[in-house]
Amino acid sequence: MTVTPAPAGTRTVLALRGISKRFGAVQALKNIELDVRAGEVLALVGDNGAGKSTLVKTIAGVYTADDGTMEFDGQDVRVGSPAEAQQLGIATVFQDLALCDNLDVVANLYLGRELRKGRALDEVEMERSSWALLRQLSAKIPSVRIPVASLSGGQRQTVAIARSLLGDPKVVMLDEPTAALGVAQTAEVLNLVERLRERGLAVILISHNMADVMAVADRVAVLRLGRNNGVFVVSDTKTQDIIAAITGATDNAVSERAARRTREDGTAS
Amino acid sequence: MTLHGSEIRPQDAPGPAGTGTGNGNGAAAELPADLQDERLIASHGLSGAVSAFTARLRSGDLGSVPVVVGLIIIWAVFQIANSSFLSSRNLVNLTLQTTSVGVIAIGIVLVLLLGEIDLSVGSVSGLSAAVLGVTFVNQGWPLVLSLLAGVALGLVIGLFYGALYTRFGVPSFVITLAGLLGFLGLQLLVLGKEGSLNLPFDSALVGFATRSFLSPALAYGLVAAVVAVYVLTRLRGRAARAAAGLSAAPTSMIAIKGAALAVVLLIPVIILNGDRGVSSMFLLFVGLVVATDLAVRRTRWGRSVVAVGGNVEAARRAGINVRMIYLSVFAACSTFAAVGGLLAAARLVAVNQSSGGADVNLNAIAAAVIGGTSLFGGRGSVYSALLGALVIMSISNGLALLSLDSSVRYMVTAGVLLIAVTIDSLSRRSRQAHGRA
Ligand SMILES: Nc1ncnc2c1ncn2[C@@H]1O[C@H](COP(=O)(O)OP(=O)(O)OP(=O)(O)O)[C@@H](O)[C@H]1O
Ligand SMILES: [Mg+2]
């Protein structure tokens, strides 16, 4: 997989300015700035509890920010509900997947945007295209007519990912989409992310797997304790720098890296 | 397995034959899209359908099986105790008695699907009956206007509940408990001092509820039409599935189901025709059940209701207008309660202080639960209103035939309700164990 850097001057689809969010005594996000460009994969990384999921949910309209503004396609927008985010063209795979366990796979895929024939649901067409979509994700799902509750963790994740692709989004946010996936399915999702970029979509990818991040992302935004902690262009950054930013060692990154390199050289030879 | 680089286009994905990335066996491409997974246990034809059905039962997905079995047992017991129980005459009475509770139970099924409850349906039904009585009998309004007033009242009450629930998050249990008392009080106030009104016996409403029956020819014609529509829609669905490259039920299967439906409809119609026939009011009830069932299973609104009942947060994140769903369901429930109250008044030819009181409330709620709708939300069928109401009213009818008074009736109904709720809880546990919760 080769990474092509985002073409210079690509349009910014989504811009966050000074987003803050607190839960009671916890300041989950503080003054977050973020630019997401069309045709770019932006990885969002950070330690557990850094605020990644909170940021994604704020963009997706699940939470409303306490402070700050959001621009979409150059317009100031206020996203008051998940429905409004979807209408703008923001699709999200949540970390907790947000599936209805009592509904079957087809119903979950099309929830909120069911295909209809007249006033009735068009179950046949929904089932047909569900299969087509799942096949392309190499999904290992035996039947789309069983309740989602009876699927494995990875199968559920595949359903959630497939759902985000319906409805022609402009921005796709994936919150740890490959956490539960097998090797082949992970590779398919990474391929998918690249294909979404080729189609000119903006992709926000959250992952703890630095190898995946370095493989598909164009830029990496680091969150630390609810604050921005640097944005790195992947093509000219080393994994170690990003890890340092994640863990909070940026202040003396240079010296630490130098130290580590001498140590590695020592053990390698 | 190799990773292929084909384009992902969710909108215009290629046909069901697919790219065959999955199993890598050539045969897979010829199977319907939904039968290609190697782990699927092949189930073909009738025996396949039977084994799939028993597997579903064993996993705790009981559906309406317990209530049908229960109904058969109850009928058998009463028939043994009193041979006139299953007579045409008594069964016609049973259909008349079942209707109003059944109509109210349809609304209860809807709120239960959301995982909520409405404890005030009895009071609302009594209040709408009181409004009918006072406006129609005392004020001399045209019948249609009085009926509309009663129904509109139910609608407004439901919207009020929905608004309280969605605005302030008050639990439906508490809102409707207040409604139970409040609207009972309002009913007494509306009825005023004398507290009892008789509806004119020759009014169209009373005629509809007590004297209007389908002619035998019409009843049989209706059965034939229903079976024909059922078989035709099944055949059309089958053709559509086959055209989309999905597995389709064999025509023999459709024929068997159509024949079964014909038998299930014909037997009661023949028996009922032995006496006065199929009551128009009962037909209205069955029609409401069928229509509501289609709305729940086949429309976007119904899908949203079931989704909200299963996982509100997931439904909200899927962009469903959760508020509107709550509002519409509470409104529908109270409206069904009002309609049930009007039908009860019409059948009893009277409105009084005990209209909608006593056991109407609990009978309707018990009917929905006994019929197999889960108290835990997101699971159930509108047909449980029909089946559950038949169970409840069979008990009360049978015990009355045996000249046992209401003390026994309350206790027996309570026992049946407890059994139904226990079955619901057990099957939920079993579903969890089988991964179908
Ligand atoms: N609904 C909530 N109520 C209260 N606190 C919350 C809520 N959601 C998140 N938090 C807090 O906000 C902080 C950020 O949480 P968040 O879920 O965004 O982390 P994350 O970066 O996604 O972590 P992970 O990598 O573990 O998924 C945490 O300290 C968490 O405790
Ligand atoms: Mg998270």
Side-chain angles (χ1 to χ4, degrees), chain A residues 23 26 28 46-55 63 95 175-176 208:
Chain A
F23 296 107
V26 179
D47 258 341
N48 292 131
K52 307 179 295 294
S53 298
T54 307
L55 185 60
Y63 299 144
Q95 191 169 11
D175 193 348
E176 301 195 24
H208 288 295

Side-chain angles (χ1 to χ4, degrees), chain A residues 62 82 86 94 96 98-99 102 107 114 116 120-121 123 127-128 131-132 135-136 142 149-150 165 167 187-188 195 199, chain B residues 3 6-8 10-11 13-14 33-34 36-37 40 241 244 298 300 303 306-307 310-311 314 316-318 378 435 437:
Chain A
V62 175
Q86 279 183 8
F94 295 99
D96 58 4
L99 299 172
N102 58 330
E114 291 85 357
R116 288 185 293 185
L121 301 179
E123 294 284 0
E127 184 169 341
R128 191 195 68 75
W131 277 116
R135 287 262 140 71
Q136 290 183 332
S150 49
L165 302 178
E188 280 298 332
R195 274 176 260 150
R199 279 166 54 190
Chain B
L3 300 176
S6 76
E7 278 282 310
I8 288 247
Q11 267 69 43
D34 52 337
Q36 287 183 16
D37 196 286
L40 277 181
R241 284 184 68 87
R298 295 259 185 267
R300 194 176 270 183
R303 181 60 51 84
V306 180
N311 186 342
R316 193 172 82 91
R317 291 195 201 164

Side-chain angles (χ1 to χ4, degrees), chain A residues 143-160:
Chain A
S143 164
V144 291
R145 286 302 180 190
I146 49 177
V148 163
S150 49
L151 298 182
S152 78
Q155 290 170 333
R156 294 161 58 86
Q157 203 151 42
T158 311
V159 172

Side-chain angles (χ1 to χ4, degrees), chain B residues 225-398:
Chain B
V226 166
V227 173
V229 167
Y230 173 83
V231 170
L232 283 180
T233 41
R234 276 306 176 103
L235 285 176
R236 264 180 46 197
R238 180 193 137 81
R241 284 184 68 87
L246 298 169
S247 68
T251 32
S252 62
M253 194 67 201
I254 295 174
I256 291 171
K257 282 192 173 168
L261 179 69
V263 170
V264 165
L265 292 179
L266 263 183
I267 291 177
V269 168
I270 290 172
I271 295 175
L272 293 176
N273 279 343
D275 189 55
R276 283 152 287 173
V278 178
S279 147
S280 303
M281 186 171 69
F282 187 69
L283 187 68
L284 170 72
F285 166 43
V286 175
L288 287 175
V289 168
V290 172
T292 314
D293 176 65
L294 288 177
V296 167
R297 287 189 305 117
R298 295 259 185 267
T299 70
R300 194 176 270 183
W301 173 81
R303 181 60 51 84
S304 304
V305 169
V306 180
V308 170
N311 186 342
V312 199
E313 184 53 25
R316 193 172 82 91
R317 291 195 201 164
I320 289 174
N321 186 344
V322 173
R323 247 166 211 237
M324 196 281 285
I325 294 299
Y326 278 111
L327 218 58
S328 63
V329 166
F330 280 116
C333 178
S334 295
T335 307
F336 277 117
V339 172
L342 299 175
L343 293 176
R347 187 176 74 82
L348 300 171
V349 205
V351 180
N352 53 42
Q353 292 183 335
S354 65
S355 294
D359 44 5
V360 171
N361 217 3
L362 287 177
N363 274 352
I365 296 171
V369 176
I370 289 172
T373 292
S374 173
L375 287 167
F376 305 103
R379 196 175 293 274
S381 151
V382 180
Y383 284 96
S384 42
L386 175 61
L387 294 167
L390 276 177
V391 167
I392 294 267
M393 297 322 285
S394 295
I395 292 172
S396 112
N397 174 304

